[in-house]
């Protein structure tokens, strides 16, 4: 009865003042979606407002019980946040912003920062839709950032929220994907071309780098490749670690067949300018509408090297594979020809990570001062629009930092929650401009608590890499710019007497690795002079030297406060204020059970009016 009275009161108010009311319209479309569990019973849709710093989720679960969605970390579910909701048998809803005190115990937050937008239940699904700020002022809420986010989903078969490990799922997702593929043009004259190996017998070795050389599409005039995606054989998906396509200089003499990329025949390692790349967890990627990979002109590469990294850890016999990259190209030309610049630590054993490290930083420096000389022509400003981060299993975080005239300019991209199983090309929210003379520093953080011996840089998945690929325009001839520390200096700082680099690498095995020696090694690697190796598409190589500069971390930013929020000391000036959503769990007041419906139908202003009316004793 009370709900009916409230409904008619609000309806009368809305009709009487149409200019101030919120029109009831269709539910906004959420552009992104993902299944969160192996059986496809838990489905997530989401979208976000980058300027308002608010994200909206819709969780649909095959259950008639409670559902929950939140964010967790890599190491423990304790401290995870979880928004919980459901529909009771009598049709009333409950909804609450909570957190995990330990692996199994839920507790309601003191500050309710999730705003309910809808909660329904039908014969098959319970669906909960809510919004929350990227960063609230509640210390129990995890931030939504441009890093990889470990999304936590859970549900039950009844309406008593209780964590059950069989119904709890964690999936790493890049939530803040700036550009959705549906927002980009798909030319009507699109042509598809596959760059692949066929019926390749995967060796029974842990690690195989298979390379072959293939022609790019033969066209009579200039075209642009505007999209690429992996082409994988389903049962071999977990064995293919990464796929890279390298452009070859037109003066190169290339071998035939398929062979080990870095084996006895050095010809199979020719061509070093990456043009597209895919790694574990990645999907298709479409370039922005104003850029593409040029093919069909005398200046464009005619051949590529296809590199496929297989990780056959279980040494399975008799596996045949047909894997590669599918490219989409068009005669409708874009404004800019794009290129890819490879940055980071030069991949060879001077790059090392000690065992038993909670955290260990590696650094790779790039100095652009020689780019123009090596390019053979003036190098216009490099406009970076996308990036791909890459380490192996010990990698935990990466960032790319830009310096100009000795001063830090930007952190161009980073991922403080890097996940080996989610390596995908990502768009920048802006175009980063690299000018001649700028320095670029790649920092990688590793953890090796599960290892009892040194980890060296190398091609195997159990070796390590520290790489960042910048997707940029306009194209130049520079393919890579990578650095590594003076290993002789590092060995001396660790108390080892050595006279050359080989002795320096060998001496690392003599070090007793303790937290103190690990810290000393990290400090020495940062202080050591870096050798910078710059390479062009035509395999021209030049070296220079430089020093690692300090990195100033960005401020965490202001939080969005809700009513009753617990403001942290560093958040004295919140970014904004909005009323707290009404919490329905455990409420016995019939009018309060109607509040979410009132807010959905008539807007937050009507809800505020209704609360005042209820409190006055309706």
């Amino acid at each position: 009865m009370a709900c009916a009275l409230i409904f008619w009161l609000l309806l009368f108010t809305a009709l009487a003042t149409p200019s101030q009311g919120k029109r009831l319209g269709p539910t906004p479309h959420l552009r992104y979606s993902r299944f969160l569990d192996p059986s496809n019973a838990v489905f997530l849709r989401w979208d976000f407002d980058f300027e308002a710093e608010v994200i909206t989720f819709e969780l649909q679960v095959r259950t008639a019980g409670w559902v929950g969605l939140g964010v967790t970390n890599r190491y423990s579910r304790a401290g995870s946040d979880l928004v919980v909701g459901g529909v009771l048998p009598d049709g009333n809803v409950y909804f609450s912003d909570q957190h995990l005190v330990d692996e199994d115990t839920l507790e309601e937050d003191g500050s309710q920062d999730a705003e309910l937008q809808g909660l329904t239940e039908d014969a098959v699904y319970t669906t909960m839709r809510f919004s929350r700020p990227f960063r609230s002022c509640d210390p129990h809420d995890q931030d939504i950032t441009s890093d990889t986010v470990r999304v936590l989903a859970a549900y039950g078969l009844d309406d008593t929220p209780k964590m059950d490990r069989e119904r709890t799922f964690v999936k790493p997702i890049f939530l803040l994907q700036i550009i959705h593929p549906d927002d980009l043009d798909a030319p009507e004259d699109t042509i598809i071309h596959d760059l692949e190996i066929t019926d390749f017998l995967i060796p029974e070795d842990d690690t195989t780098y298979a390379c072959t050389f293939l022609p790019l599409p033969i066209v009579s005039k200039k075209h642009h490749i505007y999209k690429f995606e992996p082409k994988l054989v389903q049962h071999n998906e977990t064995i293919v670690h990464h796929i890279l396509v390298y452009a070859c200089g037109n003066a190169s003499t290339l071998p035939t067949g398929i062979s080990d990329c870095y084996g006895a025949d050095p010809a199979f390692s020719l061509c070093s300018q990456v043009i597209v790349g895919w790694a574990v967890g990645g999907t298709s990627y479409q370039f922005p509408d104003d850029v593409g990979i040029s093919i069909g002109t005398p200046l464009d590469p005619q051949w590529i090297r296809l590199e496929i990294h297989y990780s056959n850890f279980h040494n399975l016999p008799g596996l045949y594979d047909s894997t590669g990259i599918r490219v989409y190209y068009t005669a409708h030309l874009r404004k800019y020809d794009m290129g890819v610049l490879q940055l980071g630590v030069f991949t060879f054993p001077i790059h090392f990570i000690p065992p038993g490290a909670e955290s260990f930083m590696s650094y790779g420096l790039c100095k652009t001062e020689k780019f123009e000389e090596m390019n053979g022509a003036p190098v216009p400003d490099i406009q970076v629009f996308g990036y791909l981060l890459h380490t192996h299993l010990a990698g935990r975080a990466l960032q790319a930092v830009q310096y100009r005239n000795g001063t830090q300019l930007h952190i161009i991209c980073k991922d403080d929650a890097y996940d080996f199983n989610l390596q995908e090309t990502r768009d920048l929210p802006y175009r980063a401009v690299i000018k001649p003379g700028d320095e670029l520093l790649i920092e990688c953080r590793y953890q090796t608590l599960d290892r009892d011996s040194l980890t060296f840089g190398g091609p195997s998945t159990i070796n390590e890499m520290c790489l960042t690929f910048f997707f940029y325009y306009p194209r130049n001839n520079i393919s890579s710019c990578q650095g590594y520390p003076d290993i002789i200096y590092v060995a001396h700082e660790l108390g080892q007497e050595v006279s050359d680099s080989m002795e320096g690498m060998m001496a690392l095995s003599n070090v007793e690795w303790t937290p103190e020696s690990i810290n000393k090694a990290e400090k020495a690697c940062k202080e050591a002079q870096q050798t910078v190796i710059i390479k062009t598409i035509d395999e021209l190589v030049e070296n220079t030297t430089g020093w690692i500069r300090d990195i100033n971390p960005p401020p965490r930013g202001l939080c969005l406060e809700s009513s009753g929020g617990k403001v942290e000391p560093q958040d004295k000036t919140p970014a904004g204020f909005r009323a707290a959503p009404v919490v329905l769990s455990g409420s016995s007041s019939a009018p309060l059970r109607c509040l979410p419906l009132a807010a959905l139908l008539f807007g937050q202003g009507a809800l505020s009016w209704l609360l005042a009316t209820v409190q006055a004793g309706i």
Side-chain angles (χ1 to χ4, degrees):
M1 180 69 182
C3 280
L5 176 58
I6 289 167
F7 177 83
W8 286 112
L9 281 170
L10 284 171
L11 180 61
F12 174 79
T13 303
L15 291 173
T17 56
S19 62
Q20 297 177 6
K22 186 185 233 180
R23 287 185 177 272
L24 184 63
T27 304
H29 171 65
L30 303 182
R31 295 177 296 164
Y32 304 96
S33 62
R34 197 76 50 89
F35 281 106
L36 303 183
D37 69 315
S39 61
N40 293 347
V42 183
F43 187 58
L44 176 66
R45 294 185 180 90
W46 76 95
D47 211 334
F48 54 89
D49 185 327
F50 209 75
E51 291 186 3
E53 298 188 351
V54 172
I55 189 165
T56 300
F57 294 107
E58 183 178 276
L59 181 68
Q60 184 180 74
V61 185
R62 199 180 302 148
T63 184
W66 70 275
V67 300
L69 184 76
V71 178
T72 188
N73 62 60
R74 185 185 197 108
Y75 306 106
S76 170
R77 289 179 190 162
S80 306
D81 67 47
L82 195 70
V83 175
V84 174
V87 181
L88 294 169
D90 63 4
N92 288 320
V93 302
Y94 52 96
F95 178 77
S96 177
D97 185 3
Q98 306 195 17
H99 64 276
L100 279 163
V101 178
D102 53 37
E103 293 282 331
D104 303 304
T105 308
L106 281 165
E107 183 178 283
E108 187 169 83
D109 292 359
S111 173
Q112 293 294 298
D113 298 282
E115 185 171 345
L116 180 64
Q117 296 186 357
L119 238 173
T120 62
E121 181 184 300
D122 59 25
V124 181
Y125 298 106
T126 295
T127 303
M128 176 175 69
R129 184 177 178 130
F130 67 93
S131 63
R132 56 151 290 182
F134 288 179
R135 184 189 176 209
S136 78
C137 299
D138 183 353
H140 291 303
D141 289 343
Q142 305 259 355
D143 291 357
I144 302 292
T145 69
S146 295
D147 299 339
T148 297
V149 175
R150 286 173 173 79
V151 175
L152 171 67
Y155 71 96
L157 301 181
D158 56 29
D159 289 302
T160 303
K162 182 180 179 181
M163 300 300 290
D164 180 344
R165 299 195 179 195
E166 291 185 0
R167 297 185 181 91
T168 302
F169 307 96
V170 176
K171 194 174 188 71
I173 302 177
F174 180 51
L175 289 174
L176 302 185
Q177 183 178 341
I178 303 300
I179 300 175
H180 191 277
D182 291 348
D183 300 332
L184 299 170
D185 291 337
E188 293 181 358
D189 67 339
T190 295
I191 306 169
I192 295 173
H193 183 81
D194 292 334
L195 301 166
E196 61 181 339
I197 62 173
T198 54
D199 297 325
F200 174 69
L201 178 60
I202 302 173
E204 297 174 34
D205 303 324
D206 290 351
T207 298
T208 299
Y209 275 76
C211 276
T212 191
F213 295 87
L214 301 168
L216 283 166
I218 299 172
V219 290
S220 58
K221 62 179 181 179
K222 181 173 180 174
H223 286 62
H224 269 138
I225 296 172
Y226 70 88
K227 178 182 176 180
F228 67 88
E229 64 188 17
K231 187 178 181 186
L232 302 169
V233 175
Q234 188 171 2
H235 65 274
N236 292 341
E237 285 178 342
T238 58
I239 293 177
V240 179
H241 170 273
H242 76 239
I243 309 169
L244 291 174
V245 176
Y246 298 86
C248 297
N250 292 333
S252 304
T253 301
L254 306 175
T256 58
I258 303 173
S259 187
D260 186 342
C261 304
Y262 308 103
D265 187 349
F268 278 89
S269 64
L270 289 173
C271 312
S272 58
Q273 187 176 55
V274 175
I275 55 173
V276 297
W278 172 89
V280 176
T283 56
S284 64
Y285 179 69
Q286 185 167 333
F287 305 125
D289 290 338
D290 56 347
V291 299
I293 299 171
S294 178
I295 57 174
T297 81
L299 297 176
D300 296 330
Q302 299 173 16
W303 286 76
I304 59 93
R305 172 165 65 95
L306 178 67
E307 173 185 296
I308 302 175
H309 176 188
Y310 295 100
S311 293
N312 188 2
F313 281 137
H314 298 292
N315 308 118
L316 301 174
L319 291 180
Y320 286 86
D321 187 55
S322 297
T323 284
I325 292 285
R326 170 167 288 175
V327 297
Y328 296 74
Y329 64 99
T330 174
H332 282 77
L333 299 182
R334 275 100 191 286
K335 187 175 182 180
Y336 301 108
D337 297 340
M338 61 152 287
V340 180
L341 178 63
Q342 180 175 323
L343 305 163
V345 181
F346 193 77
T347 304
F348 73 138
I350 281 181
H351 180 207
F352 73 94
I353 301 106
E358 173 71 36
S359 174
F360 187 84
M361 302 291 193
S362 295
Y363 301 91
L365 178 65
C366 169
K367 300 183 72 173
T368 66
E369 58 192 23
K370 287 197 172 187
F371 276 19
E372 191 161 297
E373 172 190 340
M374 296 185 66
N375 189 56
V379 176
D381 290 351
I382 296 172
Q383 310 273 345
V384 182
F385 62 84
Y387 63 97
L388 173 66
L389 307 175
H390 182 67
T391 76
H392 288 172
L393 295 170
R396 295 294 182 267
L398 300 90
Q399 60 179 335
V401 188
Q402 180 183 10
Y403 301 86
R404 184 171 296 159
N405 301 321
T407 302
Q408 181 175 318
L409 195 62
H410 297 294
I411 294 179
I412 295 177
C413 59
K414 71 176 186 67
D415 192 340
D416 288 333
Y418 174 83
D419 193 305
F420 172 82
N421 294 305
L422 185 66
Q423 302 182 54
E424 56 189 351
T425 304
R426 300 176 178 179
D427 296 295
L428 287 175
Y430 64 97
R431 304 273 168 106
V433 180
I434 301 169
K435 292 183 175 291
D438 286 358
E439 293 182 6
L440 302 168
L441 178 63
I442 308 301
E443 177 194 75
C444 294
R445 178 167 59 85
Y446 301 94
Q447 186 186 82
T448 55
L449 292 174
D450 58 342
R451 303 188 183 192
D452 55 13
S453 60
L454 281 160
T455 300
F456 290 102
S460 170
T461 307
I462 60 173
N463 296 138
E464 265 308 332
M465 292 184 174
C466 174
L467 299 175
T468 297
F469 299 90
F470 277 172
F471 291 72
Y472 74 91
Y473 66 87
R475 180 185 67 186
N476 59 53
N477 291 325
I478 308 299
S479 61
S480 63
C481 182
Q482 299 168 279
Y484 63 89
D486 178 357
I487 196 67
I488 298 174
Y489 173 85
V490 174
H492 286 167
E493 290 297 297
L494 292 169
Q496 305 297 311
E497 293 299 325
V498 300
S499 57
D500 58 40
S501 295
M502 183 60 70
E503 286 185 4
M505 288 185 289
M506 299 292 290
L508 295 174
S509 300
N510 301 327
V511 177
E512 181 183 352
W513 293 109
T514 64
E516 292 74 20
S517 61
I518 290 170
N519 289 337
K520 185 179 289 187
E522 180 181 277
K523 183 173 182 288
C525 287
K526 185 177 181 182
E527 293 176 347
Q529 186 179 57
Q530 286 248 328
T531 297
V532 180
I533 301 175
I534 307 167
K535 188 180 287 189
T536 71
I537 188 174
D538 296 312
E539 307 297 323
L540 176 66
V541 178
E542 288 274 358
N543 292 355
T544 186
T545 58
W547 303 91
I548 302 301
R549 303 183 188 277
D550 288 335
I551 299 174
N552 299 316
R556 191 179 172 201
L558 299 175
C559 61
L560 190 65
E561 186 182 15
S562 64
S563 177
K566 301 175 182 178
V567 181
E568 299 166 66
Q570 66 267 36
D571 299 324
K572 293 180 180 178
T573 309
F577 179 90
R578 63 175 174 76
V582 178
V583 183
L584 304 173
S585 56
S587 171
S588 60
S589 168
L592 287 179
R593 291 194 187 105
C594 306
L595 294 183
L597 177 63
L600 285 170
L601 293 180
F602 301 102
Q604 194 70 33
L607 179 56
S608 301
W609 171 84
L610 176 59
L611 279 170
T613 306
V614 170
Q615 289 168 355
I618 185 173

